[in-house]
Amino acid sequence: MMIVRISDDSLALALGADALAAAFTAAGASVERVSSWGMHWLEPLVEVDGIGYGPATVDDVAAILDGTSALNIGPIAQHPFIKPQQRLTFARAGRTRPLSLEDYEATGGWSGLRRAQAMSGEAVIAEVTQSGLRGRGGAGFPAGIKWNTVAKAPGDRKYVVCNADEGDSGTFADRMLMEGDPFQLIEGLAICAHAVGAQTAYIYTRSEYPHAIAKLRAAIDLAAAIIAPLHMEVREGAGAYVCGEETSLLNSIEGKRGVVRAKPPLPALEGLFGCPTVVNNVLTVAAIPHILSEGGAAEYAALGVDRSLGTKPIQLAGNIKHGGLYETAFGIRLHDLVYTIGGGTASGRPVKAVQVGGPLGAYIPPSQFDLPFDYEAYARADALIGHGGVVVLDDGADMGRLARFAMEFCAVESCGKCTPCRIGSTRGVELLDRIRAGAKVLDPVGALPQMHNAPKVARTADQDIALLEELCETMKFGSLCALGGFTPYPVLSALRHWPEDFQ
Amino acid sequence: MTMERLQEILARHAGTEGPLLPILHDVQRTFGCVSPDTQQAIAQALNLSRAEVHGVVSFYHDFTEEADPRPCVQLCRAEACQARGVEALVEAAEAAAGGRVRIAPVYCLGLCSVGPAARVGDALHARLDAAALVRLVEAA
């Protein structure tokens, strides 16, 4: 019987993959549900004998089965979007059934864990350090150093926490990995727990990802005997963006408000329930099994540029023709991502800006598209790589409105712990409204008769903009965490490159 | 009856580390809200003050103190969906919803390459245009 492979990733489900699968079954085909290749503009993508058809609807079933469909994209593995990629973390994407232990084992699964278990924790950490792996969540902190701190920290009880609270707009790599290859994440966590001497591992993810939660829980049950005696559990967030910040996340697992903790103490020394804790992002953890397989660390370190080593799963999103997941070594230029790989905008209109790194990332104009994907190069350009989300906007975008949205989002999502973020974001919204209204309005508080020293004339637009810049500086350097500290990036970059949108 | 079901939930999480959020999720799903009465009972069971429980309930967007029986369509309004034109659909969705359906914003469903996206229950929908979104709201 003919085997038809269709993804059960939630993006494919959102586009009707279940109905499509049912139609193929009804037509007499045997359907296998696999992970997504990441070519999202072609989803739901149907694979028959290695040949892809997409985006398919139930009306295409008959033609796909008799091989006459015009949706034929040729051999998927040779597709120009797939072929040039360097897939380590997403090596299995599209190729395996997410909850099949058999598929996982057959594609090299658990080999990293088995090798690590035969090694001392110290030796495992040495290999992770040697690979040059840095935190893929955005901060880019070297994973080996963090693990070493936890391993050496005093205390019998230690934890591993996987930060799977992928709240950034434009990012979906964590979700795809949790849904498509959950055993890889479990294996990475088990290796980490072995290395640092932890007994419990938590995966904290968002309530907006119900499919990922269900898949992970099922996968943990299936793998329980393999990772024993390690206890692993999924914890569900409750719709607070700030819980993606590691110290908020720890409070949230403990059952508290997701308020940021001041550092020090570092979570590596005093983390979950006051115990030494490794907090790593999904993609950081998922890179571990490959690194721990024979020769993996050296192979990993050979990829990338400068101090940004290995591969980075990049998410092409927003107004882009060929959106999806693109994993490649660090160093790729934004120009290639947006135009060559992404095919430009979906609307066919000129690209105006690209936001890299989620809602807290800078807006980058086409004149800077030569920027290589590299933590330090982005930092020098006053931008961030963050979690690797690339959101493309066409010339219809209003950058002033997006800057206001960034401030408003910060105001709504601020945990309230520190003043620059809590108050600054609200004042930022007010200031942007005043600037965009273009009207000379007296500051409402300054207008009070009691405010003897307040200026009695309304600020000019230039003065308001200078004040906004000053406010952003205060938030950048005075906030406790990335939410308040990075919100100035989208605001200031929009202001710098598209001042006309603020008039 | 309510208290019996609450006790069941509490018993299910006994022995869990940091059980408050998992309990609140179960309560919200079972009763549609976390009412002041249940907050009191949860506080008692976990040896917390009622203020502590209330503080947690009010911090997270997922928990509410009052139930809203209307069906809910969560529409993603984050940057990537904005870039794909979600703002132009909001008016049509709200008109179709009237008072019968609740249209709630959500900031990212992880479908950023195929937006605009929406969620009804655990069902996801993407590549929405005004007509598809209106159909979705009407069927909710």
Side-chain angles (χ1 to χ4, degrees):
Chain A
M1 195 160 44
M2 197 177 253
I3 293 177
V4 171
R5 291 149 75 90
I6 299 172
S7 172
D8 65 352
D9 178 277
S10 55
L11 183 131
L13 300 183
L15 297 167
D18 278 346
L20 191 62
F24 274 104
T25 308
S30 167
V31 176
E32 229 175 48
R33 302 304 293 269
V34 291
S35 50
S36 169
W37 283 90
M39 294 193 282
H40 290 165
W41 77 99
L42 293 173
E43 290 286 4
L45 177 65
V46 176
E47 182 179 350
V48 185
D49 294 333
I51 305 294
Y53 303 86
T57 66
V58 287
D59 297 333
D60 302 312
V61 169
I64 290 173
L65 285 176
D66 62 28
T68 61
S69 174
L71 301 175
N72 189 324
I73 59 156
I76 294 185
Q78 301 303 314
H79 191 280
F81 186 86
I82 299 293
K83 212 175 169 212
Q85 293 194 45
Q86 291 165 297
R87 287 195 165 183
L88 296 178
T89 305
F90 281 89
R92 290 185 190 85
R95 300 169 193 269
T96 56
R97 292 167 292 177
L99 290 176
S100 164
L101 278 169
E102 197 189 341
D103 286 10
Y104 190 65
E105 181 84 51
T107 47
W110 310 119
S111 61
L113 177 61
R114 286 193 197 109
R115 191 165 158 270
Q117 279 169 339
M119 294 158 67
S120 70
E122 260 175 19
V124 172
I125 293 171
E127 289 207 2
V128 173
T129 309
Q130 185 209 332
S131 75
L133 177 67
R134 292 168 71 177
R136 291 297 189 259
F141 191 80
I145 294 177
K146 195 184 270 188
W147 289 22
N148 195 41
T149 310
V150 175
K152 296 246 159 67
D156 303 333
R157 199 157 60 112
K158 289 173 187 177
Y159 291 95
V160 175
V161 171
C162 177
N163 182 347
D165 197 63
E166 181 181 60
D168 288 359
S169 170
T171 62
F172 41 77
D174 290 1
R175 181 187 63 66
M176 281 184 65
L177 192 102
M178 290 188 279
E179 291 185 18
D181 202 359
F183 294 127
Q184 194 180 352
L185 183 63
I186 292 168
E187 182 179 355
L189 285 169
I191 293 170
C192 178
H194 168 73
V196 304
Q199 302 81 14
T200 311
Y202 288 107
I203 302 170
Y204 183 96
T205 189
R206 333 167 52 217
S207 57
E208 289 88 343
Y209 285 176
H211 296 275
I213 293 170
K215 281 260 184 68
L216 274 177
R217 287 194 171 139
I220 290 171
D221 283 347
L222 289 167
I226 299 169
I227 60 167
L230 176 68
H231 173 73
M232 199 178 288
E233 212 178 301
V234 178
R235 283 298 171 93
E236 186 179 353
Y241 175 77
V242 75
C243 288
E245 169 68 27
E246 64 176 1
T247 57
S248 303
L249 188 154
L250 295 174
N251 276 331
S252 190
I253 297 180
E254 289 181 11
K256 299 174 184 154
R257 293 164 70 91
V259 174
V260 180
R261 298 178 186 172
K263 287 193 269 192
L266 291 171
L269 298 171
E270 279 181 48
L272 193 61
F273 302 108
C275 301
T277 304
V278 174
V279 186
N280 274 160
N281 177 266
V282 170
L283 299 180
T284 319
V285 176
I288 297 292
H290 177 79
I291 288 170
L292 258 293
S293 61
E294 199 64 56
E299 192 190 329
Y300 205 77
L303 295 168
V305 286
D306 205 4
R307 293 201 293 126
S308 301
L309 301 180
T311 62
K312 176 89 175 171
I314 295 164
Q315 298 119 92
L316 302 176
N319 196 337
I320 190 163
K321 203 165 167 193
H322 298 155
L325 183 108
Y326 198 89
E327 181 176 355
T328 187
F330 279 98
I332 190 166
R333 293 181 319 149
L334 211 42
H335 186 277
D336 298 330
L337 285 170
V338 174
Y339 295 110
T340 315
I341 299 160
T345 60
S347 61
R349 302 190 58 86
V351 175
K352 180 165 185 175
V354 167
Q355 187 177 32
V356 182
L360 310 176
Y363 287 103
I364 299 171
S367 61
Q368 292 185 358
F369 280 9
D370 272 339
L371 209 56
F373 233 76
D374 158 10
Y375 288 107
E376 278 71 34
Y378 268 65
R380 278 193 298 272
D382 254 341
L384 351 145
I385 282 184
H387 192 30
V390 171
V391 174
V392 179
L393 300 142
D394 73 8
D395 61 355
D398 176 349
M399 304 311 292
R401 181 180 166 164
L402 284 157
R404 185 194 188 279
F405 178 81
M407 275 292 184
E408 190 186 23
F409 186 75
C410 181
V412 172
E413 296 297 333
S414 174
C415 83
K417 172 109 173 180
C418 67
T419 318
C421 175
R422 184 184 67 241
I423 311 273
S425 52
T426 298
R427 294 292 171 262
V429 173
E430 292 167 1
L431 255 175
L432 279 161
D433 279 346
R434 265 215 302 273
I435 293 168
R436 279 167 54 79
K440 286 187 178 182
V441 194
L442 212 56
D443 189 296
V445 175
L448 295 171
Q450 303 90 308
M451 303 297 279
H452 308 291
N453 296 324
K456 289 293 178 259
V457 283
R459 280 188 298 270
T460 63
D462 284 351
Q463 285 172 322
D464 265 341
I465 283 172
L467 189 61
L468 178 68
E469 284 169 343
E470 214 175 290
L471 173 74
C472 283
E473 289 298 295
T474 306
M475 289 176 69
K476 218 167 168 175
F477 297 106
S479 298
L480 271 176
C481 83
L483 179 54
F486 289 175
T487 295
Y489 282 93
V491 177
L492 289 178
S493 58
L495 186 63
R496 184 174 314 134
H497 299 296
W498 298 273
E500 63 279 9
D501 284 5
F502 287 79
Q503 281 160 11
Chain B
M1 189 57 203
T2 303
M3 282 303 151
E4 252 172 53
R5 284 164 78 196
L6 179 62
Q7 292 308 326
E8 270 170 39
I9 291 170
L10 289 168
R12 200 183 310 151
H13 295 285
T16 315
E17 280 184 317
L20 186 52
L21 248 63
I23 289 173
L24 293 177
H25 269 302
D26 281 358
V27 169
Q28 178 79 34
R29 276 183 195 123
T30 309
F31 305 110
C33 68
V34 188
S35 68
D37 284 353
T38 43
Q39 288 178 34
Q40 171 85 55
I42 293 165
Q44 208 158 11
L46 299 186
N47 199 20
L48 296 168
S49 72
R50 208 182 66 78
E52 279 173 293
V53 175
H54 176 76
V56 173
V57 170
S58 58
F59 182 86
Y60 295 96
H61 298 303
D62 283 3
F63 306 134
T64 53
E65 288 204 276
E66 274 176 58
D68 188 335
R70 294 178 296 168
C72 178
V73 175
Q74 285 186 309
L75 185 62
C76 179
R77 308 278 293 272
E79 286 89 342
C81 281
Q82 285 186 38
R84 298 182 68 95
V86 69
E87 294 304 313
L89 310 182
V90 173
E91 213 172 296
E94 275 168 357
R100 190 186 68 83
V101 176
R102 189 161 63 97
I103 308 281
V106 59
Y107 294 95
C108 201
L109 294 167
L111 307 173
C112 319
S113 48
V114 290
R119 177 180 170 187
V120 185
D122 280 349
L124 297 164
H125 306 268
R127 282 189 203 131
L128 293 168
D129 54 20
L133 181 57
V134 165
R135 277 199 302 276
L136 193 66
V137 171
E138 282 168 353

PDB file of all heavy atoms in Angstrom, chain A residues 40-55:
ATOM      1  N   HIS A  40       6.920  26.156   5.518  1.00  0.00           N
ATOM      2  CA  HIS A  40       5.558  26.435   5.959  1.00  0.00           C
ATOM      3  C   HIS A  40       4.634  26.947   4.867  1.00  0.00           C
ATOM      4  O   HIS A  40       3.429  26.747   4.946  1.00  0.00           O
ATOM      5  CB  HIS A  40       5.601  27.434   7.122  1.00  0.00           C
ATOM      6  CG  HIS A  40       6.166  26.831   8.363  1.00  0.00           C
ATOM      7  ND1 HIS A  40       6.579  27.576   9.432  1.00  0.00           N
ATOM      8  CD2 HIS A  40       6.403  25.531   8.692  1.00  0.00           C
ATOM      9  CE1 HIS A  40       7.037  26.765  10.377  1.00  0.00           C
ATOM     10  NE2 HIS A  40       6.953  25.524   9.944  1.00  0.00           N
ATOM     11  N   TRP A  41       5.215  27.583   3.843  1.00  0.00           N
ATOM     12  CA  TRP A  41       4.328  28.083   2.777  1.00  0.00           C
ATOM     13  C   TRP A  41       3.759  26.919   1.967  1.00  0.00           C
ATOM     14  O   TRP A  41       2.790  27.090   1.245  1.00  0.00           O
ATOM     15  CB  TRP A  41       5.083  29.086   1.896  1.00  0.00           C
ATOM     16  CG  TRP A  41       6.033  28.458   0.931  1.00  0.00           C
ATOM     17  CD1 TRP A  41       5.790  28.211  -0.400  1.00  0.00           C
ATOM     18  CD2 TRP A  41       7.351  27.979   1.188  1.00  0.00           C
ATOM     19  NE1 TRP A  41       6.898  27.607  -0.960  1.00  0.00           N
ATOM     20  CE2 TRP A  41       7.864  27.464  -0.017  1.00  0.00           C
ATOM     21  CE3 TRP A  41       8.173  27.945   2.332  1.00  0.00           C
ATOM     22  CZ2 TRP A  41       9.147  26.912  -0.114  1.00  0.00           C
ATOM     23  CZ3 TRP A  41       9.445  27.390   2.234  1.00  0.00           C
ATOM     24  CH2 TRP A  41       9.915  26.884   1.037  1.00  0.00           C
ATOM     25  N   LEU A  42       4.353  25.739   2.110  1.00  0.00           N
ATOM     26  CA  LEU A  42       3.864  24.564   1.379  1.00  0.00           C
ATOM     27  C   LEU A  42       2.971  23.671   2.240  1.00  0.00           C
ATOM     28  O   LEU A  42       2.494  22.639   1.779  1.00  0.00           O
ATOM     29  CB  LEU A  42       5.044  23.742   0.848  1.00  0.00           C
ATOM     30  CG  LEU A  42       5.891  24.397  -0.250  1.00  0.00           C
ATOM     31  CD1 LEU A  42       7.118  23.552  -0.551  1.00  0.00           C
ATOM     32  CD2 LEU A  42       5.057  24.596  -1.510  1.00  0.00           C
ATOM     33  N   GLU A  43       2.768  24.044   3.509  1.00  0.00           N
ATOM     34  CA  GLU A  43       1.936  23.220   4.381  1.00  0.00           C
ATOM     35  C   GLU A  43       0.461  23.450   4.084  1.00  0.00           C
ATOM     36  O   GLU A  43       0.073  24.594   3.817  1.00  0.00           O
ATOM     37  CB  GLU A  43       2.224  23.535   5.850  1.00  0.00           C
ATOM     38  CG  GLU A  43       3.582  23.069   6.347  1.00  0.00           C
ATOM     39  CD  GLU A  43       3.692  21.561   6.552  1.00  0.00           C
ATOM     40  OE1 GLU A  43       2.721  20.832   6.226  1.00  0.00           O
ATOM     41  OE2 GLU A  43       4.747  21.106   7.012  1.00  0.00           O
ATOM     42  N   PRO A  44      -0.389  22.422   4.190  1.00  0.00           N
ATOM     43  CA  PRO A  44      -0.002  21.044   4.469  1.00  0.00           C
ATOM     44  C   PRO A  44       0.746  20.416   3.285  1.00  0.00           C
ATOM     45  O   PRO A  44       0.263  20.451   2.159  1.00  0.00           O
ATOM     46  CB  PRO A  44      -1.333  20.325   4.688  1.00  0.00           C
ATOM     47  CG  PRO A  44      -2.411  21.329   4.532  1.00  0.00           C
ATOM     48  CD  PRO A  44      -1.836  22.597   4.055  1.00  0.00           C
ATOM     49  N   LEU A  45       1.888  19.865   3.608  1.00  0.00           N
ATOM     50  CA  LEU A  45       2.765  19.253   2.620  1.00  0.00           C
ATOM     51  C   LEU A  45       2.564  17.736   2.680  1.00  0.00           C
ATOM     52  O   LEU A  45       2.569  17.152   3.744  1.00  0.00           O
ATOM     53  CB  LEU A  45       4.207  19.619   2.958  1.00  0.00           C
ATOM     54  CG  LEU A  45       5.328  19.036   2.102  1.00  0.00           C
ATOM     55  CD1 LEU A  45       5.261  19.551   0.672  1.00  0.00           C
ATOM     56  CD2 LEU A  45       6.686  19.415   2.691  1.00  0.00           C
ATOM     57  N   VAL A  46       2.400  17.153   1.505  1.00  0.00           N
ATOM     58  CA  VAL A  46       2.183  15.711   1.434  1.00  0.00           C
ATOM     59  C   VAL A  46       3.414  15.079   0.808  1.00  0.00           C
ATOM     60  O   VAL A  46       3.927  15.581  -0.192  1.00  0.00           O
ATOM     61  CB  VAL A  46       0.940  15.409   0.562  1.00  0.00           C
ATOM     62  CG1 VAL A  46       0.757  13.900   0.400  1.00  0.00           C
ATOM     63  CG2 VAL A  46      -0.298  16.044   1.166  1.00  0.00           C
ATOM     64  N   GLU A  47       3.918  13.991   1.409  1.00  0.00           N
ATOM     65  CA  GLU A  47       5.092  13.321   0.842  1.00  0.00           C
ATOM     66  C   GLU A  47       4.723  11.903   0.437  1.00  0.00           C
ATOM     67  O   GLU A  47       4.214  11.124   1.245  1.00  0.00           O
ATOM     68  CB  GLU A  47       6.228  13.303   1.884  1.00  0.00           C
ATOM     69  CG  GLU A  47       7.488  12.659   1.329  1.00  0.00           C
ATOM     70  CD  GLU A  47       8.646  12.659   2.333  1.00  0.00           C
ATOM     71  OE1 GLU A  47       8.529  13.315   3.385  1.00  0.00           O
ATOM     72  OE2 GLU A  47       9.643  11.988   2.052  1.00  0.00           O
ATOM     73  N   VAL A  48       4.952  11.602  -0.821  1.00  0.00           N
ATOM     74  CA  VAL A  48       4.721  10.240  -1.321  1.00  0.00           C
ATOM     75  C   VAL A  48       6.009   9.791  -1.996  1.00  0.00           C
ATOM     76  O   VAL A  48       6.453  10.424  -2.958  1.00  0.00           O
ATOM     77  CB  VAL A  48       3.551  10.204  -2.343  1.00  0.00           C
ATOM     78  CG1 VAL A  48       3.262   8.760  -2.747  1.00  0.00           C
ATOM     79  CG2 VAL A  48       2.307  10.859  -1.783  1.00  0.00           C
ATOM     80  N   ASP A  49       6.626   8.734  -1.473  1.00  0.00           N
ATOM     81  CA  ASP A  49       7.893   8.223  -2.016  1.00  0.00           C
ATOM     82  C   ASP A  49       8.955   9.315  -2.167  1.00  0.00           C
ATOM     83  O   ASP A  49       9.643   9.381  -3.195  1.00  0.00           O
ATOM     84  CB  ASP A  49       7.654   7.561  -3.388  1.00  0.00           C
ATOM     85  CG  ASP A  49       6.802   6.305  -3.263  1.00  0.00           C
ATOM     86  OD1 ASP A  49       6.833   5.672  -2.190  1.00  0.00           O
ATOM     87  OD2 ASP A  49       6.088   5.978  -4.232  1.00  0.00           O
ATOM     88  N   GLY A  50       9.044  10.191  -1.186  1.00  0.00           N
ATOM     89  CA  GLY A  50      10.079  11.231  -1.214  1.00  0.00           C
ATOM     90  C   GLY A  50       9.695  12.459  -2.040  1.00  0.00           C
ATOM     91  O   GLY A  50      10.388  13.465  -2.017  1.00  0.00           O
ATOM     92  N   ILE A  51       8.610  12.377  -2.786  1.00  0.00           N
ATOM     93  CA  ILE A  51       8.170  13.506  -3.611  1.00  0.00           C
ATOM     94  C   ILE A  51       7.155  14.337  -2.812  1.00  0.00           C
ATOM     95  O   ILE A  51       6.264  13.782  -2.164  1.00  0.00           O
ATOM     96  CB  ILE A  51       7.510  13.019  -4.916  1.00  0.00           C
ATOM     97  CG1 ILE A  51       8.446  12.086  -5.689  1.00  0.00           C
ATOM     98  CG2 ILE A  51       7.066  14.212  -5.780  1.00  0.00           C
ATOM     99  CD1 ILE A  51       9.696  12.741  -6.217  1.00  0.00           C
ATOM    100  N   GLY A  52       7.299  15.655  -2.864  1.00  0.00           N
ATOM    101  CA  GLY A  52       6.419  16.527  -2.104  1.00  0.00           C
ATOM    102  C   GLY A  52       5.321  17.149  -2.947  1.00  0.00           C
ATOM    103  O   GLY A  52       5.501  17.401  -4.150  1.00  0.00           O
ATOM    104  N   TYR A  53       4.182  17.376  -2.309  1.00  0.00           N
ATOM    105  CA  TYR A  53       3.067  18.081  -2.934  1.00  0.00           C
ATOM    106  C   TYR A  53       2.526  19.081  -1.919  1.00  0.00           C
ATOM    107  O   TYR A  53       2.181  18.700  -0.804  1.00  0.00           O
ATOM    108  CB  TYR A  53       1.936  17.116  -3.319  1.00  0.00           C
ATOM    109  CG  TYR A  53       2.360  16.002  -4.250  1.00  0.00           C
ATOM    110  CD1 TYR A  53       2.894  14.823  -3.733  1.00  0.00           C
ATOM    111  CD2 TYR A  53       2.230  16.137  -5.629  1.00  0.00           C
ATOM    112  CE1 TYR A  53       3.296  13.798  -4.572  1.00  0.00           C
ATOM    113  CE2 TYR A  53       2.623  15.115  -6.485  1.00  0.00           C
ATOM    114  CZ  TYR A  53       3.156  13.945  -5.949  1.00  0.00           C
ATOM    115  OH  TYR A  53       3.546  12.933  -6.781  1.00  0.00           O
ATOM    116  N   GLY A  54       2.443  20.345  -2.308  1.00  0.00           N
ATOM    117  CA  GLY A  54       1.913  21.298  -1.351  1.00  0.00           C
ATOM    118  C   GLY A  54       1.725  22.681  -1.950  1.00  0.00           C
ATOM    119  O   GLY A  54       2.323  22.977  -2.984  1.00  0.00           O
ATOM    120  N   PRO A  55       0.940  23.531  -1.309  1.00  0.00           N
ATOM    121  CA  PRO A  55       0.050  23.211  -0.193  1.00  0.00           C
ATOM    122  C   PRO A  55      -1.188  22.459  -0.685  1.00  0.00           C
ATOM    123  O   PRO A  55      -1.840  22.914  -1.615  1.00  0.00           O
ATOM    124  CB  PRO A  55      -0.330  24.595   0.354  1.00  0.00           C
ATOM    125  CG  PRO A  55      -0.138  25.539  -0.790  1.00  0.00           C
ATOM    126  CD  PRO A  55       0.872  24.942  -1.711  1.00  0.00           C
TER     127      PRO A  55
END
